[in-house]
Amino acid sequence: MRVLEPRETGYVDRGDVSIHYEVYGDGSPTVYLLMPDTIVESRGWKAQVPFLARHFRVVVSDPRGNGGSGTPPTRDGFDDRLMIGDAWAVLDAVGAEQAVLVGLCTGAGYAVLMAAERPERVLGVCAINPGLQLGAPLPHKVAFDFDAPRERYEGWQKMNRHYWLQDWPDFARFFFTEMFPEPHSTKQREDCVGWALQTTPEAMILAGYSPPYPGDEAKTVAIAEAVRCAVLVITGSLDRCQNPQRGRRLAEITRGEHVVIDGGGHLPQARDPVRVNLLLRDFVRRVA
């Protein structure tokens, strides 16, 4: 049972897969909430949708490989350009010529890329713990070879293709414990593990887990510099997925507002929803 039922649901045929989307509310402007990637589905925004839909039209969609969207059979089917194309196709399907984009992790990276390439369609961008190549990754994310088999898998050694195939549920439990360092986060962890179990380790291996856009840091900086709309960056000081300095740099480059949630982890929209909701509402009102 949901707090609020969608006023519209549908699918966008993208050739290789169909992308599932939902629309809530009927206000203005349109706010599009972009999930990070295949490991979770659009219900990751369940604490935002009912609140924001009181004021605006809210659109969510499931990423390739999870929720109601299809799963590509090849790595090429998870290409960043296709994921961005999915987002544009959803906006076209709901008749949104312009929208405020709100993204989390990789979804925040997609929102920035979309604003840079089609500025006439993006009113503003809110990037939560953005997954962009704007600084070094966190050391524990790259300390162990993703492709090398090991005799034992402890801690972040579980970020490994062989362990994913061996025990995906245990990796999901470990990963989301890391994503929620805040105390009393049991429900949020359970939700995310449940969504992670809707996909498969095979799909996750095809999808990869690197920040979007295959290029060097200078190229990413140039993309961020091309953003002309208002930008709000929200960063958790204890983010264990994306280096918090990436959010700071994105705010500096785009001359955006930067809000740091002290003690917050990677998913503040789930763990600190009241603060995030108010920040989003006020930001959308300003840019609209």
Side-chain angles (χ1 to χ4, degrees), residues 12-281:
V12 174
D13 183 359
R14 296 280 291 147
D16 56 340
V17 296
S18 293
I19 303 300
H20 176 254
Y21 67 85
E22 297 175 341
V23 182
Y24 299 82
D26 57 4
S28 180
T30 296
V31 179
Y32 189 5
L33 305 175
L34 293 161
M35 266 289 99
D37 51 36
T38 303
I39 199 168
V40 287
E41 58 140 288
S42 60
R43 280 184 292 171
W45 295 110
K46 68 177 184 176
Q48 282 65 57
V49 167
F51 177 78
L52 294 177
R54 299 176 194 169
H55 312 280
F56 319 111
R57 182 170 70 150
V58 179
V59 178
V60 296
S61 60
D62 294 325
R64 290 174 176 236
N66 207 323
S69 294
T71 302
T74 66
R75 180 180 295 274
D76 289 344
F78 289 95
D79 184 79
D80 286 324
R81 290 306 321 173
L82 289 177
M83 304 285 256
I84 292 172
D86 294 344
W88 288 127
V90 167
L91 288 175
D92 290 341
V94 301
E97 295 183 2
Q98 292 184 309
V100 177
L101 305 180
V102 181
L104 171 66
C105 190
T106 306
Y110 291 153
V112 171
L113 291 164
M114 291 169 71
E117 69 183 17
R118 302 188 71 176
E120 75 283 358
R121 296 195 65 177
V122 181
L123 296 171
V125 168
C126 176
I128 303 174
N129 289 320
L132 281 169
Q133 296 177 6
L134 293 174
L138 293 168
H140 61 261
K141 292 286 294 294
V142 294
F144 307 104
D145 190 333
F146 178 73
D147 296 306
R150 308 180 66 87
E151 292 185 3
R152 298 178 60 187
Y153 298 90
E154 302 291 342
W156 281 95
Q157 295 172 2
K158 295 180 181 181
M159 182 70 86
N160 180 283
R161 69 164 61 237
H162 303 284
Y163 192 71
W164 287 7
L165 293 170
Q166 175 182 317
D167 197 343
W168 175 248
D170 183 67
F171 170 78
R173 289 189 291 269
F174 161 76
F175 182 71
F176 286 110
T177 297
E178 293 286 302
M179 297 302 98
F180 289 105
E182 303 94 332
H184 313 299
S185 298
T186 301
K187 173 57 176 171
Q188 289 83 2
R189 294 168 185 157
E190 289 177 348
D191 282 345
C192 289
V193 170
W195 297 326
L197 296 184
Q198 294 178 160
T199 189
T200 66
E202 291 85 357
M204 283 296 299
I205 290 168
L206 292 177
Y209 60 90
S210 298
Y213 207 93
D216 57 25
E217 185 171 335
K219 192 170 186 178
T220 306
V221 169
I223 291 170
E225 289 175 337
V227 174
R228 294 292 176 262
C229 63
V231 174
L232 168 66
V233 181
I234 301 174
T235 300
S237 67
L238 299 182
D239 186 2
R240 296 277 289 163
C241 184
Q242 298 294 336
N243 187 335
Q245 294 304 312
R246 290 178 168 177
R248 178 187 60 79
R249 285 204 66 204
L250 177 62
E252 289 176 351
I253 294 167
T254 60
R255 299 182 181 180
E257 179 184 0
H258 187 201
V259 176
V260 178
I261 298 180
D262 190 34
H266 187 58
L267 302 165
Q269 92 289 351
R271 193 58 190 85
D272 199 353
V274 173
R275 185 173 184 188
V276 170
N277 288 352
L278 293 176
L279 286 168
L280 291 178
R281 181 199 64 187

